Amino acid sequence: SVDEDQAGVRVSASEILMEAMRRVDEWQRLKRAIPTFSEVYTSARPRREDDDSLTGQLLKLTAQGVKTLDEVLAGVPVPRFQACERVLSLVEDGSLRVATGPEYLALGKGAEARKEYEAAANYYGRGLHYERGNPELSERRIAVLERLERNDEAAAERKVFAGTLLDQGKGEQAERQFLEAGRLSPADPLPRERLLELQLKRGAGDLDSARATSKELVALYLRLGLGEKAKGVYPRLLSLASRDRDLRERQAAVHEELNEPKVAGQLRRELAAEALKRKDVDETLVQLRQVVALLPDDAKSQALLEEVESGQYQTSRRVRRWRGVLALSVLIAAVGFSWSAYEVMALG
């Protein structure tokens, strides 16, 4: 046994151990029931004559519904564990309750008015725990977090808020939240991924917005070393505009960045062929020079480049065109002569 004090009270070691184990178990239960000491509790009834001192003090401290549990516990002269046990007991019998979403909103506004922005952020956060779909709570918490320059938290809140807006069918508002989340958290691809999904759903009519988002997303993927994801972005846009030269140029650049010359070279060969067909010599030269740089063993592209650079290809093309015109003229003349001969014979 162990002497506990000078009065001669003796407590066995097993009793101490049992009490310690009880407290550990009870503390785990308290932590589940009271997940944070930032919670605000408010009394649901006035004090009664049969309330003991601790209950009376707890009800008094929570009467206005403005103190966090941390502040309430600091105001009672008993150990924290004991006070938490009593708080939980009062919650279970209905004497105390947690503040509601609107009450947290009011508390947050009050804290903002006093320029207590950390407190305001906590109040709005607790309110959202109980009322996630409340737009005013979300918007105010985001604004306060940005004021505090807690950008990662603000970005996370914007992403959650965007999800809520999508559930409510407010796609355009959700897009703005994803756009701002990307601005606040430039190394996080998720906001741009979700934004691009929404833009692509609108189809080819909003390709310009998707084009801008995809450019940022690809650059981010490449910085993060996510090459496979980077390669998958532009094909999604090309499914809406398969012949878009700018998108195909960007796709080729992605494969070049990832040191995949065969794929990049093939894409640029196609672009060169189209430019040549349009008689855009400058663009043809740009693409062919890229192909030759990527694929130095491509003799066909090398020969074509030399022909275009020297002007030989253009001259040959004019000659072929002139020959074609001449051949057509001869054919027409022959047909005309034959028809005339036929008529003469018919008349004879």
Side-chain angles (χ1 to χ4, degrees):
S1 63
V2 178
D3 289 334
E4 187 176 77
D5 55 34
Q6 294 179 351
V9 176
R10 300 175 70 81
V11 181
S12 69
S14 61
E15 288 176 311
I16 294 175
L17 181 59
M18 289 295 291
E19 177 62 16
M21 291 176 65
R22 184 192 73 80
R23 291 203 174 202
V24 168
D25 290 341
E26 185 64 16
W27 188 245
Q28 292 301 318
R29 186 176 76 89
L30 289 173
K31 285 172 66 177
R32 289 193 295 272
I34 306 174
T36 173
F37 291 101
S38 297
E39 200 76 87
V40 172
Y41 287 84
T42 183
S43 57
R45 67 170 178 82
R47 284 179 288 171
R48 298 192 298 252
E49 290 185 1
D50 60 339
D51 289 330
D52 63 19
S53 175
L54 178 56
T55 295
Q57 288 175 314
L58 290 171
L59 292 175
K60 180 181 179 180
L61 290 167
T62 57
Q64 302 300 316
V66 296
K67 292 181 180 293
T68 65
L69 183 56
D70 247 338
E71 294 170 325
V72 170
L73 297 178
V76 294
V78 298
R80 197 177 184 87
F81 178 83
Q82 183 182 344
C84 284
E85 282 188 310
R86 184 60 60 86
V87 166
L88 186 55
S89 174
L90 292 172
V91 169
E92 289 172 346
D93 70 19
S95 299
L96 285 181
R97 65 173 178 80
V98 176
T100 63
E103 287 171 331
Y104 273 119
L105 179 60
L107 288 168
K109 288 180 178 178
E112 277 196 80
R114 298 188 300 273
K115 298 185 178 180
E116 297 172 359
Y117 300 116
E118 290 282 356
N122 289 334
Y123 285 138
Y124 294 140
R126 293 313 302 163
L128 286 167
H129 179 75
Y130 297 104
E131 208 171 311
R132 174 48 71 183
N134 187 310
E136 189 173 6
L137 280 168
S138 291
E139 289 167 357
R140 284 186 169 274
R141 177 167 166 79
I142 289 165
V144 171
L145 290 172
E146 290 186 20
R147 179 185 284 271
L148 293 168
E149 298 184 353
R150 289 160 57 179
N151 290 345
D152 286 343
E153 292 176 70
E157 194 61 60
R158 282 191 181 277
K159 287 185 289 187
V160 173
F161 187 33
T164 300
L165 291 169
L166 283 176
D167 290 341
Q168 297 171 354
K170 300 175 181 177
E172 289 187 11
Q173 294 180 38
E175 283 188 39
R176 286 197 291 272
Q177 294 301 323
F178 284 128
L179 188 63
E180 286 299 307
R183 176 184 62 82
L184 291 167
S185 187
D188 181 5
L190 190 143
R192 292 175 182 82
E193 291 171 346
R194 297 301 306 277
L195 181 60
L196 183 60
E197 287 175 13
L198 294 172
Q199 291 167 341
L200 290 174
K201 281 182 180 179
R202 291 201 292 273
D206 193 28
L207 194 59
D208 286 343
S209 298
R211 192 189 302 274
T213 302
S214 65
K215 184 176 182 179
E216 293 181 2
L217 185 57
V218 166
L220 178 55
Y221 280 151
L222 291 174
R223 286 201 304 274
L224 296 175
L226 302 173
E228 290 302 314
K229 285 201 166 189
K231 288 189 290 185
V233 174
Y234 290 126
R236 298 179 66 189
L237 277 71
L238 286 166
S239 68
L240 300 175
S242 60
R243 306 314 300 168
D244 189 294
R245 293 199 301 273
D246 177 61
L247 291 175
R248 291 157 66 203
E249 173 89 26
R250 292 188 195 181
Q251 181 72 352
V254 170
H255 287 284
E256 289 170 16
E257 181 73 20
L258 296 172
N259 195 29
E260 297 179 351
K262 287 185 178 180
V263 179
Q266 178 58 37
L267 289 168
R268 292 200 179 277
R269 266 197 298 257
E270 294 171 4
L271 289 167
E274 291 176 11
L276 199 57
K277 190 174 182 180
R278 295 193 309 272
K279 302 179 183 178
D280 187 339
V281 175
D282 290 339
E283 178 64 15
T284 301
L285 289 172
V286 168
Q287 297 299 338
L288 284 175
R289 285 167 184 157
Q290 286 283 79
V291 173
V292 170
L294 290 163
L295 304 170
D297 295 332
D298 186 346
K300 192 172 181 179
S301 295
Q302 179 68 55
L304 180 57
L305 175 59
E306 291 172 0
E307 284 185 22
V308 176
E309 282 181 326
S310 66
Q312 182 182 347
Y313 179 86
Q314 294 90 316
T315 301
S316 299
R317 185 170 181 172
R318 284 195 294 271
V319 169
R320 287 194 299 271
R321 185 167 63 250
W322 171 247
R323 286 176 178 171
V325 170
L326 181 61
L328 182 62
S329 299
V330 170
L331 178 61
I332 292 172
V335 170
F337 178 79
S338 299
W339 180 254
S340 299
Y342 173 79
E343 288 186 336
V344 169
M345 292 175 64
L347 290 172

